[in-house]
Amino acid sequence: MATKATKKLTPMIRQYLDIKSQYPGHILLFRMGDFYEMFFEDAEIAAKILDIALTSRSHKSAGERIPLCGIPYHALSSYLAKLVRAGRKVAICDQIEDPRQAKGIVKRAVTRVVTPGLVIGSDDLLDEKDNNYLMGVYLADDEYGFCLCDLSTGEFRIGQHESLEDLADEWVRAEPAEIILPEGLQDDPRVAQLQQALPGRFLTFQSPDTFDLDDARARLTEQFPRFEPNDELAPAMCAAGATLIYLQMTQKRELAHLREIIVDRSGAFLVLDEAAKRNLELTANLRDGGRRDSLLAVLDETRTAMGARLLKRWITYPLVQPEPIRGRLDAVAELVQRRADREALGEAMETIHDLERLAGKIGLASCNARDLVSLRVSLARLPDLQAALAVFESPLLRELVESLDLLEDIRGLLDNAIDDEPPITVREGSLIKSGYDEQVDELRHIARSGRGIIAEIEQRERQRTGVTSLKVRYNNVFGYYIEVSKANLHLVPEDYTRKQTLVNAERFITPELKEIEEKILTAQDKLSELEYDLFTQVRQIVADQVERIQTSARVVAQVDVLACFALLAETRGYCKPTVGPDDTLDIKDGRHPVVEVAFKEERFVPNDAFLDIGDNRLLLITGPNMAGKSTYIRQVALIVVMAQMGSFVPASSCHVGVVDRVFTRVGASDNLARGQSTFMVEMTETADILRNASRRSLIVLDEVGRGTSTFDGLSIAWAVAEFIRDEQHVGARTMFATHYHELTDMARTLPGVRNFNISVKEWNDDILFLRKIVPGATSRSYGIQVARLAGLPPQVIDRAKEVLANLEAVEYDEVGHARIAKRQSEEGKPKTGQLQLFAGAPSPVEEEIRAMDLDGLTPLEALRALVRLQEKCKK
Ligand code: ADP
């Protein structure tokens, strides 16, 4: 930068540098007339990101050229979106005085800072179905506070956790766009751990002073008058205080829509960690991370943006207390029963716009008149919604109808004041309805009659001059003018004054035209100004009531999600689950909600599940690859999540003794897309379960131990299963899908373990998948049959069978090596190997093998024998 030459710079560039120095690391958008300009490195960076021309401006006094690029002010939101998406912090610097009144250089100041977590409704950056959270995080010893704020809607939640892992789970579930942390923790291992849970987030480090508790207490009570500070919430308050300071520093305006603090008590929600959220594909699929084929996508039949966002929240934060879950389920049941009334609700919601984000824009004074029209149109639907809701009797729906505020005063005001079709801009008039304000009506009359007079002049001048193509037009440079084409110039009268020559025409003015213009323009200017003032007054009145809009928005969102559940229950044949504080999970004819929907021709085969923390604690599910093991165990977990959200479930009957956490782990080879050392990931995740699961948890293990050699994998799988089964350690309800059929031996020796398999039918060499879960263990893994189904060439299949037969016969050659490679065609050939020298004297390995009673060996004992033999060979 041109710091050396600063003294020689023009006042404007000096002003720029001065403001820029207060926003290091930000791209500064510097308003100049109709453009936002960027200079120096900002221009170089932004021109690339925005794909716009980088120019330069000579700067004589500085003796150098200054790189420069600019964007038109009215296109700000789309360029802003690109900069923010590219990970840039942007400071928007506006002219804060009327340039016409400015003495010397126009005063400018930053009016707003935009980062990923500070996006608001009027920016082009938001997905209407997603919240955009800014998360403040406070880290102390054993106390982790957080605050989640969606600036675009005004949602402000706080909470705290006792472990870093729980905080990481919160971080993963909320998917914040930006996280504020105390400065100095850049290299803190705890921050690294959080980042690992959800990489690629935008981190903002802020002075540790902003996390001060006393300051937080004062700020929070000022912003949220109903909030009662409570020392037990100290970590959460510290996080909230820092968040609020960040918002105040960057928004530089009243945050009128932040009115309520919601305190999330830990333990109120079913905990779903990163692995569970990912493996169960709750909100994104494993394939490409998109929304398609996720649980959210197949359940989303909501009609409003607010409903869609709440559905996502309910999926990621299911409940654990049976009472509130039952409240939701009863409401859904009634909505299923009263179909016609439910449809009336749906119709009422159809044209309700995003009230939460409208409330946000109004609260931040960033709304235009069209937003107020959207609000009016939406409010106009509330009486119908209320009428449709009033017939329902379930307690939750009654509660909702009672808290629905019709906001008739606001609607009346908007109806009277705001034009039905206002423009996007708010400074150019046409905002206020006729009849609302006398002065507006009067000025409008003058402006309009002025236009009539202009039309008359045009008519008259055409007649007077005989130029029928003569036009009276207006432009910003010289106001009203008369345009005459070149061919008719000889007809132009004396009293016309020439103003401009174009290729085909010339432009003139007359004293009369100028006089009328003065009248019209002053009326129009005054009108625009007055309309803007009235608009801001109306906006302020609405902003003062924004909390009422938010309350009704929340009612709409809940009704929308409950009605969506009812619709799914009806169209997909879901049943009402029962929930209780017990430890039983009993599902009849359960289906996988996502796979089922994808099935068009083939029928999805329903399956039962029964788990408790007694005799049916650990279900070992075996069966060949592709039999349907993964689908089955996931469907059980998904049914639990759905039930605890308050939704009906894909089953013919279902009881859920509530679960406190769902854990899922998927064997490494099923998880290659992650691109990490997959076995290490698998083991880290498994360790996490063993540490954190409680007896109330539900554990879903899919092929754990697959990412390493067979013996290692089997041993790990065995030990993990044993540990989980043991009530001294975990003892939680667990499903363990595995192709290690050797594990099924565990059911014989350990209480609480049950074998199930997914049945297949064999005939000749082929297998048919029946998809039905049945008690008992599989004796084989059918890998070769599956390989054949998949189209491996017959020679390969035949050879694989040979090798398998060798392995199953536990054959070894004289050196103690498994005779995997033996071919039938090699039988009878002379034996090879060094030990041939001592032919006739059997090796100890050979002796042991001969002595084995193969019929009396369990598969596991056989494996152990194999290990022992191998050890002997090494000696
Ligand atoms: P595994 O885990 O045993 O290898 P998957 O669970 O991946 O098997 O299932 C393989 C395929 O079988 C799935 O893609 C699905 O199309 C089908 N499938 C699974 N369960 C069922 C079912 N209950 N009814 C019908 N098809 C099923």
Side-chain angles (χ1 to χ4, degrees), residues 595 599 602-607 623-632 635 702 771:
V595 177
F599 272 38
E602 209 183 326
R603 199 175 73 87
F604 188 88
V605 181
N607 273 309
N625 273 328
M626 284 302 286
K629 300 182 296 298
S630 310
T631 310
Y632 173 71
Q635 103 192 6
D702 196 358
R771 314 282 185 218

Side-chain angles (χ1 to χ4, degrees), residues 124-164:
D124 271 355
L125 268 158
L126 292 170
D127 176 347
E128 64 161 22
K129 292 188 169 219
D130 253 325
N131 275 111
N132 192 64
Y133 288 119
L134 169 70
M135 187 180 199
V137 169
Y138 173 79
L139 303 171
D141 295 336
D142 298 333
E143 284 186 322
Y144 303 89
F146 70 88
C147 165
L148 281 170
C149 174
D150 184 340
L151 184 63
S152 70
T153 63
E155 180 180 338
F156 198 94
R157 300 180 168 272
I158 61 170
Q160 55 200 31
H161 292 293
E162 284 168 11
S163 76
L164 193 62

Side-chain angles (χ1 to χ4, degrees), residues 517-532:
E517 175 185 309
E518 173 68 17
K519 256 199 199 150
I520 300 174
L521 291 189
T522 33
Q524 237 155 19
D525 276 357
K526 273 194 199 151
L527 183 62
S528 303
E529 226 164 273
L530 179 63
E531 287 199 63
Y532 178 71

Side-chain angles (χ1 to χ4, degrees), residues 810-831:
V810 199
E811 287 210 18
Y812 294 84
D813 66 16
E814 295 74 4
V815 211
H817 290 162
R819 274 184 171 174
I820 297 181
K822 194 179 91 173
R823 288 177 190 271
Q824 272 155 19
S825 54
E826 285 174 357
E827 291 288 329
K829 285 193 182 168
K831 294 185 172 121

Side-chain angles (χ1 to χ4, degrees), residues 642-709:
M642 287 173 72
Q644 293 192 210
M645 275 159 60
S647 166
F648 282 21
V649 296
S652 64
S653 81
C654 170
H655 173 80
V656 175
V658 286
V659 161
D660 67 350
R661 303 177 73 124
V662 173
F663 290 97
T664 68
R665 293 305 174 266
V666 175
S669 53
D670 272 6
N671 207 1
L672 288 174
R674 296 262 284 169
Q676 286 156 304
S677 159
T678 50
F679 180 63
M680 186 65 190
V681 172
E682 177 190 336
M683 287 300 113
T684 318
E685 292 182 352
T686 307
D688 178 50
I689 302 186
L690 304 188
R691 255 198 325 271
N692 294 314
S694 83
R695 280 210 96 173
R696 296 216 63 89
S697 304
L698 177 70
I699 304 175
V700 170
L701 300 169
D702 196 358
E703 299 286 12
V704 162
R706 184 144 98 173
T708 181
S709 75

